[in-house]
Amino acid sequence: MPEQGKVLAVIPARGGSKGIPLKNLAAVGGMTLLARTLELARQIPEFASVCVSTDHETIKDAARQFGDVVVVDRPQELSGDRVGDVPVLQHAVEEMEMHSGDVFNTIVMLQVTSPLRTKADITSCLELLESDECDAVWTVSPTELHYHPLKQISLGGDAALSLYDEKGAGIIARQELEPVFHRNGCCYAMTRSFLMKTTSLFSPGRTRAVVSDGRRVNIDGPEDIDEAERLLNLEKH
């Protein structure tokens, strides 16, 4: 069983966004996405430290409203829309360890764009990471059957249809489709030893999943905000 040790929560929140300008400060349910994430992070006793990695002054100011949150200045080379999560997390870990003098054994990434995240999403990932011989744990959601990979098609340049996966030709009834899942962005928990030497958050054979209970929405465009608002309103009634 791995030693969990100190846990660092990293909240990536860069300023650039094409779908919604300053998306991380967009409001859902009367709170910005950033504030909603930070409020929930405060409720996780396992977190020794919480930091926001950002390149934008307005986001820095918003994060500093939470006095116990550390702002990590993200350098320009890590701020483009083609930069993956791994180098951003690695930079945040290095900065936080230099800032605090601590070594964090477990790193949790909380993406601001998942406003329906629950405490259980996070604590279940931490519990599984601690109890299993694995490198990382992701939250996932069941994929609706009409989006199943074996029901997908591709279009050629002449608009000719082809099956995305030829095995789909043999599927007659939906009951024949094995359940599949997709990452929902609510929580990624990983060991420091894995993160600091990897180039991908996926560790073949050593990545586990926590299936989130209930609907989750990942905010990409305005329609996703509307859907998140609708689901939050349903929770209130």
Side-chain angles (χ1 to χ4, degrees), residues 74-235:
R74 192 187 304 190
Q76 185 175 0
E77 61 268 23
L78 295 181
S79 296
D81 56 10
R82 301 293 296 171
V83 177
D85 294 318
V86 170
V88 172
L89 294 174
Q90 290 170 339
H91 173 262
V93 171
E94 291 169 350
E95 290 292 306
M96 286 297 293
E97 290 186 341
M98 184 170 60
H99 169 83
S100 67
D102 292 325
V103 173
F104 298 96
N105 302 81
T106 300
I107 314 303
V108 172
M109 178 172 69
L110 302 177
Q111 293 179 316
V112 173
T113 48
S114 297
L116 301 184
R117 174 192 296 113
T118 66
K119 288 178 64 177
D121 286 327
I122 301 170
T123 57
S124 296
C125 285
L126 288 172
E127 289 167 3
L128 183 54
L129 185 69
E130 186 177 18
S131 65
D132 197 350
E133 290 291 338
C134 61
D135 293 328
V137 179
W138 301 2
T139 51
V140 301
S141 294
T143 299
E144 295 178 35
L145 288 182
H146 55 277
Y147 294 126
H148 195 285
L150 294 184
K151 297 191 73 174
Q152 303 308 303
I153 57 175
S154 297
L155 289 180
D158 54 357
L161 296 178
S162 61
L163 294 174
Y164 181 76
D165 188 322
E166 292 298 327
K167 289 183 289 187
I171 300 297
I172 298 174
R174 4 176 340 122
Q175 290 79 9
E176 299 176 68
L177 296 169
E178 280 208 30
V180 293
F181 301 83
H182 57 274
R183 66 176 90 181
N184 59 30
C186 289
C187 184
Y188 295 84
M190 65 213 78
T191 64
R192 182 193 188 281
S193 57
F194 162 66
L195 172 63
M196 301 310 282
K197 66 185 180 186
T198 191
T199 57
S200 167
L201 292 181
F202 181 72
S203 179
R206 293 180 59 82
T207 303
R208 304 288 184 263
V210 165
V211 180
S212 295
D213 181 20
R215 283 287 309 276
R216 300 291 184 271
V217 175
N218 192 281
I219 304 297
D220 188 37
E223 67 282 358
D224 300 315
I225 291 181
D226 293 339
E227 177 63 4
E229 294 274 12
R230 185 185 72 81
L231 292 170
L232 286 171
N233 285 331
L234 285 176
E235 289 179 3

